[in-house]
Amino acid sequence: MSAIQNRYEFVYFFDVTNGNPNGDPDAGNMPRLDPESSKGLVTDVCLKRKIRNFVEISSENEAGYEIYVKEKSVLNLQNKRAYEALGIESEAKKLPKDEAKARDITAWMCKNFFDIRTFGAVMTTEVNSGQVRGPVQLAFAQSIDPIVPLEVSITRMAVTNEKDLEKERTMGRKYIVPYALYRVHGFISANLAAKTGFSDDDLAKLWQALTLMFEHDRSAARGEMAARKLIVFKHDSALGSQPAHKLFDAVKVERVNGESGTPASGFGDYNISVVSDGLNGVSVEELL
């Protein structure tokens, strides 16, 4: 498949109800938030993890859709596969001196691993397979309004050790966000896609992941999470016709129930619209 020929930007909305969308390990796993605005945050790597997980389960055993960064993956062993497939001897921490062979190794990694040709990767480990700058990048997601995390105490009737058998219960705690709608901006470069081989099929897989990834990421900690809106801006060329910030500004979020700047209670509290006037050379599509 040939690489995509157009630049894209997208705005993605998702929400959480009575869950923790992205705990901060430096704060006792409390939901991440901006201390100045009290708005919730979800990191780009958290969202990429969910995309990787969806692609892994939806394209299992499909050629070209393996995942490089996954649970219990040994990166050196992953990198070594390229050398073995191409019949090239590896040298500790170095790419082959022959530039053509070095390019072939990196190209093999891009061809076989979806997340490398999508997000890029630094593969300069003990077995060096080069570096790739990915065409798809995500910003941090931020909630539309401030959030008020709640700490909830929980009990467990079972005990871990025999010495604690006479105890009736053990105590624990978890943090939840009662409700929050998050917004994240994404960027897709056709020029970088040409270098990694990110194709139209890969793009379709990305849209599918953003639409369905929360359906396969359920846990007690994350409560109810749902994809709400996916608004895609497609430029008529690889370089693009409009600056990204102008496209993002065209997506308006209006608070229709409750007071803006206070925690919301549900998705129905918002109205999301797109003002497409003046976006010459850019088409707008709502995929969700």
Side-chain angles (χ1 to χ4, degrees), residues 1-5 8 62-65 107 110-112 114 117 190 192-205:
M1 293 295 294
S2 59
I4 60 172
Q5 301 297 309
Y8 294 83
E62 186 176 344
Y65 285 89
C110 288
K111 180 181 178 181
N112 285 274
F114 171 83
R117 65 176 179 272
L192 292 175
K195 297 179 180 180
T196 69
F198 183 81
S199 67
D200 286 319
D201 283 351
D202 294 329
L203 184 64
K205 181 66 69 174

Side-chain angles (χ1 to χ4, degrees), residues 82 86 88 98-110 129:
L86 298 171
I88 300 172
D98 186 325
E99 291 187 7
K101 290 183 177 179
R103 286 195 299 270
D104 287 345
I105 287 170
T106 303
W108 190 93
M109 298 297 287
C110 288
S129 293

Side-chain angles (χ1 to χ4, degrees), residues 7 12 28 34 66 74 77 125 144 167 181 189 211-212 246 258:
R7 190 185 113 197
Y12 181 55
D34 178 348
E66 292 189 61
V74 180
L77 295 180
T125 59
I144 303 301
K167 294 182 179 180
L181 176 66
S189 166
T211 302
L212 296 173
K246 182 176 180 180

Side-chain angles (χ1 to χ4, degrees), residues 92-198:
K93 298 184 179 180
K94 294 182 180 179
L95 280 168
K97 294 179 180 179
D98 186 325
E99 291 187 7
K101 290 183 177 179
R103 286 195 299 270
D104 287 345
I105 287 170
T106 303
W108 190 93
M109 298 297 287
C110 288
K111 180 181 178 181
N112 285 274
F113 294 98
F114 171 83
D115 54 337
I116 292 178
R117 65 176 179 272
T118 302
F119 304 127
V122 177
M123 300 173 286
T124 52
T125 59
E126 184 71 22
V127 181
N128 193 336
S129 293
Q131 297 185 35
V132 176
R133 186 178 173 195
V136 179
Q137 299 300 329
L138 298 172
F140 274 33
Q142 185 178 64
S143 66
I144 303 301
D145 285 306
I147 63 172
V148 180
L150 299 181
E151 182 179 1
V152 181
S153 295
I154 56 176
T155 60
R156 184 178 66 169
M157 299 308 297
V159 295
T160 303
N161 299 305
E162 277 189 80
K163 62 184 178 65
D164 298 322
L165 191 59
E166 297 307 314
K167 294 182 179 180
E168 291 186 5
R169 58 188 179 182
T170 56
M171 302 294 294
R173 62 182 184 179
K174 64 191 299 186
Y175 293 99
I176 64 169
V177 176
Y179 180 81
L181 176 66
Y182 289 79
R183 172 177 177 158
V184 61
H185 296 163
F187 311 82
I188 305 177
S189 166
N191 296 299
L192 292 175
K195 297 179 180 180
T196 69
F198 183 81

Side-chain angles (χ1 to χ4, degrees), residues 14-276:
F14 63 92
D15 62 5
V16 60
T17 302
N18 292 330
N20 185 352
N22 188 200
D24 185 350
D26 290 328
N29 208 44
M30 284 184 62
R32 295 183 191 271
L33 56 80
D34 178 348
E36 184 175 354
S37 65
S38 291
K39 291 185 177 181
L41 298 174
V42 173
T43 64
D44 58 326
V45 292
C46 173
L47 296 174
K48 288 178 181 178
R49 176 77 271 147
K50 298 180 193 306
I51 293 170
R52 285 183 169 102
N53 290 346
F54 178 84
V55 172
E56 184 176 15
I57 65 172
S58 66
S59 303
E60 188 175 9
N61 300 322
E62 186 176 344
Y65 285 89
E66 292 189 61
I67 297 299
Y68 180 66
V69 180
K70 61 182 179 181
E71 187 177 2
K72 297 183 179 180
S73 174
V74 180
L75 300 185
N76 275 333
L77 295 180
Q78 299 278 56
N79 294 351
K80 190 176 181 180
R81 290 173 57 190
Y83 285 86
E84 292 174 345
L86 298 171
I88 300 172
E89 282 291 325
S90 63
E91 186 177 351
K93 298 184 179 180
K94 294 182 180 179
L95 280 168
K97 294 179 180 179
D98 186 325
E99 291 187 7
K101 290 183 177 179
R103 286 195 299 270
D104 287 345
I105 287 170
T106 303
W108 190 93
M109 298 297 287
C110 288
K111 180 181 178 181
N112 285 274
F113 294 98
F114 171 83
D115 54 337
I116 292 178
R117 65 176 179 272
T118 302
F119 304 127
V122 177
M123 300 173 286
T124 52
T125 59
E126 184 71 22
V127 181
N128 193 336
S129 293
Q131 297 185 35
V132 176
R133 186 178 173 195
V136 179
Q137 299 300 329
L138 298 172
F140 274 33
Q142 185 178 64
S143 66
I144 303 301
D145 285 306
I147 63 172
V148 180
L150 299 181
E151 182 179 1
V152 181
S153 295
I154 56 176
T155 60
R156 184 178 66 169
M157 299 308 297
V159 295
T160 303
N161 299 305
E162 277 189 80
K163 62 184 178 65
D164 298 322
L165 191 59
E166 297 307 314
K167 294 182 179 180
E168 291 186 5
R169 58 188 179 182
T170 56
M171 302 294 294
R173 62 182 184 179
K174 64 191 299 186
Y175 293 99
I176 64 169
V177 176
Y179 180 81
L181 176 66
Y182 289 79
R183 172 177 177 158
V184 61
H185 296 163
F187 311 82
I188 305 177
S189 166
N191 296 299
L192 292 175
K195 297 179 180 180
T196 69
F198 183 81
S199 67
D200 286 319
D201 283 351
D202 294 329
L203 184 64
K205 181 66 69 174
L206 176 66
W207 299 147
Q208 183 187 28
L210 289 171
T211 302
L212 296 173
M213 64 187 188
F214 293 119
E215 306 304 321
H216 303 273
D217 189 55
R218 304 296 184 190
S219 77
R222 283 185 282 279
E224 295 182 53
M225 295 188 68
R228 290 297 188 173
K229 284 283 186 180
L230 176 56
I231 300 165
V232 176
F233 297 95
K234 180 180 180 180
H235 297 257
D236 59 7
S237 66
L239 290 178
S241 308
Q242 301 286 345
H245 71 269
K246 182 176 180 180
L247 304 179
F248 297 147
D249 288 346
V251 180
K252 309 292 185 182
V253 183
E254 180 186 5
R255 183 73 179 266
V256 293
N257 290 319
E259 184 179 350
S260 179
T262 63
S265 59
F267 185 65
D269 290 351
Y270 296 101
N271 179 59
I272 300 171
S273 59
V274 184
V275 181
S276 57

